[in-house]
Amino acid sequence: MIFSKTTRASQIFSIAGRPEIDVKKVAAETRGDPKRWQVSLQGLDTFDPVTMLVDKLKGDDVPCWMLDSNYNGRVFHATQVFFPRTKAWDSLKAALKATHDASVWEHLGGSTSAPFDLGEQNTIAVKVIDDRGNELMVVKKLEEVR
């Protein structure tokens, strides 16, 4: 008799879904005008093919998410990268001998981007890497107020 264990790595299903994001204008620190943007990752729905259930992850519970603040529709270029669900920050802080302010580590482990200027494409993309290594992306066209 042969027994096999079903693991996430042995599943051949592809995940389909889209990250849920909130995009807002924020005031630029030096200019005082609302021409900068900020993205918050609200969450991600994932489908478990073993249980046939949909599971919702909160934005601060995904392994990795990235922002392309000037997406051209062809190539994703990460301009900001975040790792909300990791305990590796303590090791990295020790390796760097704690040369960075605590707010840097909180930002890298967060679900809200740093403010950014809108690029010439007027389009952003957010890509989330889920627990199985799937890349799920959402694209939004933004209109800058002139």
Side-chain angles (χ1 to χ4, degrees), residues 36-61:
R36 294 187 60 124
W37 297 83
Q38 193 167 32
V39 174
S40 294
L41 177 64
Q42 300 301 308
L44 175 71
D45 290 336
T46 58
F47 174 71
D48 185 341
V50 173
T51 63
M52 301 297 282
L53 297 174
V54 174
D55 185 32
K56 180 160 181 79
L57 291 176
K58 292 183 179 179
D60 60 0
D61 194 30

Side-chain angles (χ1 to χ4, degrees), residues 11 17 21 24-25 54-55 59-60 70 75 78 86 93 96 98 130 133-134 138 142 144:
Q11 297 171 3
I21 62 172
K24 64 180 180 177
K25 290 182 188 175
V54 174
D55 185 32
D60 60 0
N70 193 28
V75 177
T86 183
K93 283 187 232 180
L96 294 174
D130 74 359
N134 295 305
V138 62
L142 306 177
E144 184 175 20

Side-chain angles (χ1 to χ4, degrees), residues 90-128:
D90 293 334
S91 300
L92 188 56
K93 283 187 232 180
L96 294 174
K97 301 191 183 345
T99 58
H100 294 81
D101 186 68
S103 64
V104 171
W105 305 110
E106 291 172 16
H107 175 71
L108 291 172
S111 59
T112 302
S113 74
F116 58 91
D117 291 320
L118 189 60
E120 63 185 42
Q121 303 294 329
N122 291 345
T123 303
I124 64 164
V126 171
K127 185 180 283 192
V128 175

